[in-house]
Amino acid sequence: MKPIESINDFVIKFANVNGSGSASANELFAKAILRMGVPVSPRNIFPSNIQGMPTWYEARVCEDGYAGRRGGVDMMVAMNPQTWDADLAEIEPGGYLFYDSTRPLPPSKFRSDVNVIAVPLTEITNAVYTDPRQRQLFKNIIYVGALSVLLDVDADVFEKLFAEQYKGKERLLESNIRALHMGRDYVKQNLKAPLGIRVKRSDQVGDKIFVDGNSAIGLGMVFGGATVAAWYPITPSTSVPEAFQKYCEKFRVDPVTRQHNFAIVQAEDELASIGMVVGAGWNGARAFTATSGPGISLMTEFIGLSYFAEIPVTIVNVQRGGPSTGMPTRTQQSDLISCAYASHGDTKHVLLFPQDPHECFEHAAAALDLADRLQAPIFVMTDLDIGMNQRLCKPFTWDDARDYDRGKVMTAEELEAGKDFGRYKDVDGDGIPWRTLPGTHPTKGSFFTRGTTRDPYARYSERGPDYIYNMERLLRKFKTAADLVPQPVLRNAPKKTSYGVIYFGSTTPAMHEALDVLEADGVHIDALRLCAFPFPESVNQFIAAHEKVFVVEQNRDAQMRSMLVNELDVNPAQLVRVLHYDGTPITARFITRAIRDIVQPAAAVPLRQKEAA
Amino acid sequence: MTYITKPRLHHPTLTANKVGYTRRDYEGRISTLCAGCGHDSISAAIIQACWELDIAPHRVAKLSGIGCSSKTPDYFLGASHGFNTVHGRMPSALTGANLANRDLLYLGVSGDGDSASIGLGQFANAMRRGVRMAYIVENNGVYGLTKGQFSATADRGSKSKKGVINSDSPIDLVGIALQLGATYVARSFSGDKEQLVPLIKGAMEHGGAAFIDIISPCVTFNNHSGSTKSYDYVREHNEAVSRIDFISSRDEITAMYAPGEVVEVQQHDGSMLRLRKLRADYDPTDRYGAMSYMQAHQARGEIVTGLLYVDPVATDLHTSLNTSDHALNAMGVAQLCPGSKALDIINRALR
């Protein structure tokens, strides 16, 4: 058996028990690799539970910077006896198994084609610590220390990270460093290190930042000027309002009065969350809510009101596995249709598809502008994979010359000057009417907002022509939206090709890696990353320019493909489904195989053999 | 029809209030409700109250849900912005609107179906949070727009127009409001304008969540014998705890009363509620006393009306959240955006 040899390119997976404090130790490990200048993309795989259930942390170390999930595991840190058998089975042949050898295990519990690294973690820990909680926490740091020697990560990188984390808490700093060295010393004295897989200092991280998408959205909402947030806890979106709260407390508290330039309400349910946001948007504040699929279902009636009464609202949907309660802690892109066409009657909504935390920040701020400009609900469609995992991405930027686009709001001066105000009248030809905010003028510009039909002057009307005028204007507005939303990003193959691929959101890193792999194989594909719905004309042109277009998405029913067919009237036979929906993030291996099966059916080679080459 | 505008001809003898508006300036479109509907009397009382309070009409935001009662904001305060939201969800929309701009006065208008049936959860939570608003429920015990089904406030044993006897226990919104922390709780009757106008005035000037349950008979579907929300039934069973005079902070107090006869409550803005006691044993500042008094009297079939409870030093959701004294909706990029330098520091911490 040949051990896997690979520098700066491997997957290590930690199998833990949730509630054991392993998450912070694992994050420390990932950050240390980043500090070595080597990109890493970790993913939490966790249950809908607080304590005692299995949880995994899968970190892909990749000097080439591929941030998608690779698939396969080169080293398993098996800290959970409950999942031992499955964890062992997942290791690639020639891979490594790291485990706590305090209690002996029978040979039947091991694999002959896997390298075993035994460290008596419990024994080492219990010899020094007596307090049960300390034992648990420091055992985690000890295994990180042991791994650092095995994988050749410098001790000073950890010491610096500890110093940053425990600034002013010297006692904690010292005890963590001590635990780290307990692990390091054991390996140095008893085992052969480093392993065939290891980390070597590099310079591939640069000025990139390491952050999760939900934090980035919370921050984007602060920069974008949101003042009212109403929400109801739901995995995986909860950390969005929590991040917003954290950043507001840092940046939005008046230094003199200590008063808050923000208002956050944890509502009684999603109906109330969206209701508050709609009320605030109606009254001229920038407001948002964050939720996941089941919350969208509950909010649907208000979303229809916001569409029809034309009220600016921003909704963050951190998607999880559906339908119903579905897979609350797994990832999917399966709320596209439920958001794009949310509510009864004829409705269409703007969706944004950030690819990573950097874009989560950008799209959050952009959504607030778009909501005001379009006077409509705007959805930021992220998912658990982007939202709850830290990802290495471009640093956040903000142009200080940028002002908020508050859209068409008529002022008291304009009303006083006699400017005609028809709340639902298209005066500019873009389908977007003017609005007034409550309290603007003593006698002019007031109107009654309602979900019932009305004439262009907001007077109740069930006349057919008034209804048609309004509905056609809303369509015109949606067309205008296609030009205002973030535009698709084209990546052309180096050679002319009749194949195209359309993808979006969290699929992006896996897609890019797949394109490189296919390219190296001589399979050329032009790629278009969608950043928003509605689709601009360029999407139509892209599809028209190719015989076959793969539509890669993370749901069962090819929802994006349906939307493309529905909105652009393209021939469905042209659009080939590539669907991944088991709740795990899509991998480059999956995409490569799916596309290759269609492009080169005759040249099919067993995948494992192909990729090992 | 609601799109008909009322003629704006002003009678020359109409008097203007201190902010220069006549009573006509507080009117809205012509009501489309049934002739004799209690709701129209409530609209008239709101108009009267706002005129007397010298509120500039455009400084009021009126929000409602769905139903006959929720249509009424179109029929008063035509110069105010109104928002007819979705069924049972006015409280959340009002909460958000209030958070966006604390400088306006918020008037929530709802019905018994809207607040007690579909919207009970939002009603309860808005009371809990202490959203500053005057929340009026026009309570007729029946679904009018869908022609006469019972609502959740219909009394057990009361009879529908079609002869069906209601077998469900009623929801008492006043009792819930008292229990959940509303700081101004009243019940009145649309047919008693003398009681109603000062109650609305007190609610509009109140510093927290003010709730008024107004029994408002449905002349078309719930005004027959066997109904407990009919004009006749309410008149026969009305037991007022006090007569209220509302004295604004700007008015001079002139009337004199014998000691023990009146209770005076000064609200946060200096306005005075003067309650002429009709029941010697009633203390309107005792929340728990009010709850037990209500329950005892309701058990005897009496409809207790008047200002049932008031906390003169009430606070609201803005106090709890410590929000700025300035309206959030008027803040711009300079106040809200931390800027690129702050972002660079964040970036550094994420490496």
Side-chain angles (χ1 to χ4, degrees), chain B residues 135-156:
Chain B
Y135 189 130
I136 289 171
V137 165
E138 307 186 347
N139 183 357
N140 56 17
V142 77
Y143 286 87
L145 276 179
T146 51
K147 304 194 173 177
Q149 301 79 13
F150 287 119
S151 85
T153 63
D155 288 310
R156 174 176 266 175

Side-chain angles (χ1 to χ4, degrees), chain B residues 50-96:
Chain B
C50 291
W51 180 76
E52 288 180 8
L53 282 173
D54 303 317
I55 295 168
H58 73 294
R59 302 307 294 169
V60 178
K62 38 183 196 177
L63 292 98
S64 60
I66 295 292
C68 290
S69 55
S70 292
K71 289 167 74 174
T72 65
D74 209 14
Y75 315 143
F76 57 81
L77 300 179
S80 309
H81 274 64
F83 191 1
N84 198 179
T85 64
V86 292
H87 201 13
R89 319 293 174 211
M90 174 275 283
S92 63
L94 190 150
T95 302

Side-chain angles (χ1 to χ4, degrees), chain B residues 159-163 218 220-228 230:
Chain B
K159 196 168 76 177
S160 79
K161 197 176 182 184
K162 286 181 179 161
C218 174
T220 306
F221 294 109
N222 206 8
N223 198 31
H224 45 269
S225 104
S227 157
T228 58
S230 67

Side-chain angles (χ1 to χ4, degrees), chain A residues 189-442:
Chain A
Q189 287 154 21
N190 299 287
L191 299 170
K192 191 174 156 283
L195 305 175
I197 55 169
R198 71 183 75 155
V199 180
K200 194 177 144 211
R201 273 198 188 271
S202 181
D203 57 357
Q204 292 305 303
V205 172
D207 69 345
K208 291 203 183 88
I209 57 171
F210 188 59
V211 66
D212 62 283
N214 286 358
S215 295
I217 288 183
L219 186 64
M221 293 295 177
V222 173
F223 275 72
T227 52
V228 177
W231 65 289
Y232 186 76
I234 181 171
T235 303
S237 74
T238 304
S239 50
V240 173
E242 285 174 349
F244 181 67
Q245 173 107 32
K246 184 184 87 179
Y247 288 120
C248 277
E249 279 161 9
K250 197 172 164 75
F251 295 118
R252 290 275 194 81
V253 178
D254 188 285
V256 180
T257 63
R258 308 307 299 165
Q259 286 183 329
H260 295 173
N261 292 337
F262 65 94
I264 301 170
V265 179
Q266 184 189 318
E268 60 269 32
D269 53 29
E270 284 88 348
L271 288 82
S273 319
I274 185 76
M276 289 177 199
V277 169
V278 165
W282 173 75
N283 214 359
R286 300 198 138 187
F288 80 96
T289 184
T291 189
S292 192
I296 296 292
S297 296
L298 287 170
M299 292 178 182
T300 298
E301 189 183 17
F302 256 119
I303 292 168
L305 175 72
S306 164
Y307 173 79
F308 200 47
E310 298 181 65
I311 293 160
V313 166
T314 298
I315 301 165
V316 178
N317 180 359
V318 188
Q319 296 167 91
R320 64 191 218 183
S324 188
T325 309
M327 294 195 286
T329 59
R330 297 291 185 264
T331 197
Q332 261 182 9
Q333 298 174 317
S334 54
D335 299 338
L336 304 180
I337 287 178
S338 77
C339 290
Y341 304 109
S343 200
H344 55 275
D346 293 321
T347 56
K348 294 178 196 237
H349 310 295
V350 173
L351 317 180
L352 308 183
F353 305 114
Q355 63 162 340
D356 65 4
H358 174 83
E359 280 192 357
C360 283
F361 174 85
E362 305 251 305
H363 285 193
L368 295 167
D369 272 354
L370 285 167
D372 269 349
R373 170 57 49 186
L374 293 164
Q375 300 170 28
I378 309 291
F379 292 81
V380 180
M381 302 291 287
T382 161
D383 59 29
L384 184 142
D385 187 32
I386 308 176
M388 291 190 70
N389 291 311
Q390 289 169 307
R391 192 65 48 80
L392 195 64
C393 60
K394 282 194 292 180
F396 301 132
T397 56
W398 186 265
D399 176 4
D400 288 325
R402 174 174 171 178
D403 198 1
Y404 300 144
D405 177 7
R406 301 307 313 264
K408 300 183 187 180
V409 181
M410 212 176 268
T411 62
E413 292 72 31
E414 288 167 318
L415 290 165
E416 189 59 39
K419 196 165 173 182
D420 178 49
F421 174 60
R423 173 66 184 98
Y424 297 107
K425 195 174 170 186
D426 184 6
V427 289
D428 304 314
D430 56 5
I432 307 171
W434 285 77
R435 64 175 181 143
T436 56
L437 301 183
T440 299
H441 189 282

